[in-house]
Amino acid sequence: MPTVSVKRDLLFHALGRTYSDEEFDELCFEFGLELDEITSEKDIISREQGDTKAEGASDVILYKIDVPANRYDLLCLEGLVRGLQVFKEKMEAPRYRRVSPTSGEPQRLVITEETAAVRPHAVAAVLRNITFTQERYDSFIELQEKLHQNVCRKRTLVAIGTHDLDTISGPFTYTAKPPDDIRFTPLNQAQEYTATELMNLYKTDSHLRHYLHIIEDKPVYPVIYDSNGIVLSMPPIINGDHSKISLNTKNVFIECTATDLTKAKIVLDMMVTMFCEYCEEPFTSNGNAIKLPEETLMDESTERIAQLLTKMCLRSEVMSDGEQIEVEIPPTRSDVIHACDIMEDAAMAYGFNNIIRTTPRTYTVANQLPLNKLTELLRQDLAAAGFTEALTFALCSQEDIADKLLKNISDTRACHIANPKTAEFQVARTTLLPGLLKTLAANRKMPLPLRLFEISDVVLKDETKDVGAKNNRRLCAVYYNKSPGFEVIHGLMDRVMQLLEVKPGRDEGYHIQAAQDSSFFPGRCAEIFAHGKSIGRLGVLHPDVISRFELTMPCSALDIDIEPFL
Amino acid sequence: MDEAGCGGCQVISAEQRSSKHWELTGEGCEIAEQGSHEARVFSSIPDEGMPQGQLMKLAFGKVGFSKAMSNKWIRLDKGHEGGPRVFRTVENIEDSVRDKLLVVQKGQSSQLEEKEKSELKKRKLLSEVTVKSYWITKGSLFSTTITKQETELTPEMIASGSWKEKKFKPYNFEAMGVAPDCGHLHPLMKVRTQFRQIFLEMGFTEMPTNNFIESSFWNFDSLFQPQQHPARDQHDTFFLSDPAQAHEFPLDYLERVRKVHSEGGFGSQGYKYDWKIEEAQKNILRTHTTAVSARMLYKLAQKEKFTPVKYFSIDRVFRNETLDATHLAEFHQIEGVVADYGLTLGDLMGILHQFFTKLGITKLRFKPAYNPYTEPSMEVFSYHEGLKKWVEVGNSGVFRPEMLLPMGLPEGVTVIAWGLSLERPTMIKYGINNIRELVGHKVNLQMVYDSPVCRLDA
């Protein structure tokens, strides 16, 4: 969930009343927000860098509010206030209108075909006669950053540039040029650089270096010029210094360049709708209408529903047939794409906790998954046989399932993870044995003998499956003591067969015969056959296996596939 | 206190006493007999003095020399011809060390001051000895004849009846018994068994979740989660390098999924982006068991006639997130799904109430939330009496039409679902703070041995 940090007093001032922390928490609960933390700049610095660095920092109270990931209209103070005020019916749901300039033509942004190779889309808008204060300005910059981090996917999908319109003149051109051909003074610098030089310069910039990769290796870089050849910006990296915004700026030119046009429009809509309240003519833009049929999830009159929706900034009116409601979706609500989104808002406005709960009349008879049923039954009896259940990780290192077991990784049919953060997540386990041995090693101080078991899934490559792999349910047990206890593990295996109603004997029943297996001590390993098929192995583990798992006592193990017994 | 009897009926009673006294060490005895090292040094130096080297060769030379020097009984002439030479400085000396030791030897150590004694102790000439003694007195059952007490009944005693004449040693009811040598079930699995039981009691059928590896298609795309969504990032999801891609999909369904994502349809505007099959083919370790629910709902939709169902699953999921005391890369998700005609939000709340009541939780509150595949979505909160606040116990919602309609489910069918993690209630129930002590090989086996039966509603 994205977090928005707002000054509490500013928030209350805009809401027109103060709240206690509990009251505000309650309001957030109803609206679907979360008051995550109450802190101050001083507290934050103190926690991160120590009290001395925090001296002199502001102790103005900050509210850190978590907002739903799909509500881009709640990412700044302005949007939060608007949403809450309309929800509390203190304010009417705004209608956003697009207006023409008082004199002259609207501004134009011309996109050339060169951009197609690197960043094809762009949209732009103008906010006229806006008045900034320090707070509004900070909020404006902060919203761009929030949008960049969230919906813009760290500027890869969309990048926003804002400019003082009075320092530049249209029509504007959005094009792409080879890096050496782009030359301008970037924001907060005193001299001109070429784009190539800038790429080098920003390699050490802690903020900007994360975005260089987006265009770095391309033959041409995106760039926006005004009619006099002044560079507005080189998206998605940096704006030009010439057109930078200050507190005195009255007219703002906003451009969004993108690789995803839908997102670019959403982002532009957000920038414009959030800050148009500071323009001379607040709330000027437009949206679209959806007809909502009467299949709502609540039993309320159509009028009431229309009223509830309006509380959520979705202006609604009952249509002439008395059955349908026409809902106007403002540009701030890009999350509304289906009638169900509207229904949720109606329910929120009604209050989830006001809805009467009912019992579904769905009659069904439960069925257990046979594999799980068998597992549950066997678990109980293995514990009754004196073994303790372990629960080990499904992911492990390659070593764990190969080298440490004296086997080759290529013989294991293992599935490999592409992006493991550490060696512990290199592969999905192909056998339960390493997990059990590691459990023994971690519990060395416990009294001997140690008897562990686990009945769980391993993962094996399988080309016959649609994803190319499948799980296999296995039963694995280990006996760890001063003497290996082959007869104990053998006895356990006999017991399991007895529980599965498999009698000793070749062909129809089960039998074991000597086998070679590099993980086991020579002469102390057997393969188990049930109904003529091999189902697993048991034996005394090879001393090298024991040492590689950092164990010191002899150990015997049993490992069988229980799926044939379904 | 003693082992000759037990509380009340004693043959004898014993009291332990200890006392301390001072004794001469071996070295101390030697000095008492022959004099201290420094005194012997003094007496071995003739009037004309003695070369230092020669003096040092004597057994008592080294220690005696430095002590005699500090007592100012002798002096060293370093520049003497023929080498450094030691001379007496006084005529006579008093060997106070030897005198003191003799006092102690006579048993009169109390005549010496504490300071003097500890100094001699430092020189290892004296040692303080503790003597422990037992004072025995007759007990209430004192007798000079020895009667042997029996501990246990034996078959012979039963057969012969001789138990009637024997005295039996009283049993120590304060001690613990012998722990049975049994096996144990893992606490997390015990909790899983209980949740499984709850679902079965409510008529829910278990879904086949034995497939950790899933395609992005079933895990994300079929659930209407867009391909640019952050959860599909390298940071949150484990991708497979082998097998890297899934190669089999129901093709006409896949096409409908592609369309609803990129163009809309089924009453939706869609996300309006370029949907790529390469993304959908990427294999991952499933991030939620909802992927299995999707497969099951698709299968249900292929049936001739729709029948209402209730499904559940409790199985492992994988997240590539930052790890800490309460988060691991793998954990277990509990999920319940109901599909029927005309289900409402009220029904979802009703079923959640029934489910949580079986966990002993009756006070619930619902909060609007957001999931890419449910709308409406509700976080479920319950009141924790101990912490005196509302805590989140689960997540729930109604699956979006963009997910259900492309599968082919009839229009009037609503599907409600909810989920929670298995680890969290287990850690709360068993009072475990670090998840690694519960799950994985670093488990605290003693905790497993000692864990009680799992009663979720207690």
Side-chain angles (χ1 to χ4, degrees), chain A residues 7-273:
Chain A
K7 292 184 183 155
R8 182 195 61 183
D9 298 333
L10 267 186
L11 179 65
F12 289 169
H13 179 75
L15 289 173
R17 63 158 278 196
T18 52
Y19 288 83
S20 70
D21 288 339
E22 291 76 30
E23 284 171 331
F24 192 74
D25 200 44
E26 187 55 36
L27 176 61
C28 285
F29 193 92
E30 280 176 44
F31 197 60
L33 306 173
E34 192 182 330
L35 179 57
D36 189 44
E37 208 190 335
I38 303 171
T39 181
S40 69
E41 212 180 87
K42 200 173 199 176
D43 277 343
I44 297 172
I45 298 179
S46 199
R47 236 182 333 177
E48 288 172 10
Q49 299 172 39
D51 289 336
T52 36
K53 286 248 153 69
E55 299 257 346
S58 151
D59 49 3
V60 164
I61 303 282
L62 296 174
Y63 270 177
K64 281 190 186 275
I65 302 174
D66 279 347
V67 310
N70 62 340
R71 294 295 300 271
Y72 312 124
D73 62 313
L74 299 175
L75 287 175
C76 60
L77 176 95
E78 289 76 7
L80 275 171
V81 168
R82 212 173 296 164
L84 288 169
Q85 291 295 69
V86 177
F87 184 64
K88 286 302 211 190
E89 295 180 291
K90 295 250 175 67
M91 180 179 134
E92 262 198 41
R95 244 202 197 102
Y96 301 94
R97 283 188 311 121
R98 186 177 18 179
V99 290
S100 300
T102 46
S103 64
E105 298 277 303
Q107 294 290 351
R108 279 169 53 219
L109 174 67
V110 178
I111 307 175
T112 71
E113 60 190 10
E114 284 85 355
T115 59
V118 58
R119 206 171 177 81
H121 308 289
V123 288
V126 172
L127 280 170
R128 293 185 195 284
N129 299 312
I130 194 168
T131 308
F132 279 116
T133 60
Q134 185 64 52
E135 251 107 36
R136 294 175 186 181
Y137 177 82
D138 290 340
S139 190
F140 191 68
I141 303 295
E142 184 60 21
L143 179 62
Q144 288 177 61
E145 194 46 39
K146 279 263 162 349
L147 289 169
H148 276 156
Q149 290 307 313
N150 287 305
V151 60
C152 303
R153 301 308 314 281
K154 300 201 172 89
R155 302 194 194 180
T156 53
L157 296 183
V158 187
I160 309 164
T162 52
H163 312 274
D164 186 330
L165 185 58
D166 299 322
T167 64
I168 45 184
S169 57
F172 305 99
T173 311
Y174 171 48
T175 183
K177 280 186 169 173
D180 288 327
D181 295 350
I182 302 172
R183 199 184 169 79
F184 67 105
T185 309
L187 194 63
N188 297 328
Q189 296 289 344
Q191 60 174 96
E192 283 196 341
Y193 291 88
T194 62
T196 325
E197 287 164 352
L198 284 177
M199 284 291 138
N200 268 324
L201 180 69
Y202 292 138
K203 268 194 176 40
T204 49
D205 184 301
S206 59
H207 181 54
L208 294 175
R209 66 178 180 178
H210 302 287
Y211 306 117
L212 301 180
H213 72 96
I214 304 172
I215 55 170
E216 205 166 17
D217 298 325
K218 302 272 193 258
V220 288
Y221 290 0
V223 59
I224 303 183
Y225 292 103
D226 81 340
S227 59
N228 295 321
I230 296 177
V231 170
L232 269 67
S233 63
M234 186 178 72
I237 311 297
I238 191 82
N239 285 355
D241 195 70
H242 182 100
S243 54
K244 71 177 177 227
I245 301 199
S246 70
L247 290 184
N248 300 319
T249 302
K250 300 308 291 172
N251 295 294
V252 182
F253 178 70
I254 308 174
E255 36 89 356
C256 296
T257 56
T259 50
D260 180 324
L261 183 58
T262 313
K263 294 263 165 12
K265 289 183 189 168
I266 291 173
V267 168
L268 185 68
D269 278 345
M270 288 308 142
M271 288 303 301
V272 165
T273 51

Side-chain angles (χ1 to χ4, degrees), chain B residues 291-331:
Chain B
V292 180
S293 305
R295 282 182 184 262
M296 294 299 287
L297 290 169
Y298 175 75
K299 247 173 113 181
L300 180 68
Q302 305 321 299
K303 292 218 176 90
E304 279 280 330
K305 189 172 182 308
F306 172 80
T307 47
V309 293
K310 290 194 188 117
Y311 292 144
F312 83 93
S313 65
I314 307 173
D315 209 336
R316 222 177 279 232
V317 296
F318 304 85
R319 303 261 170 103
N320 194 8
E321 290 169 346
T322 342
L323 309 179
D324 59 32
T326 52
H327 292 90
L328 286 170
E330 24 185 310
F331 62 99

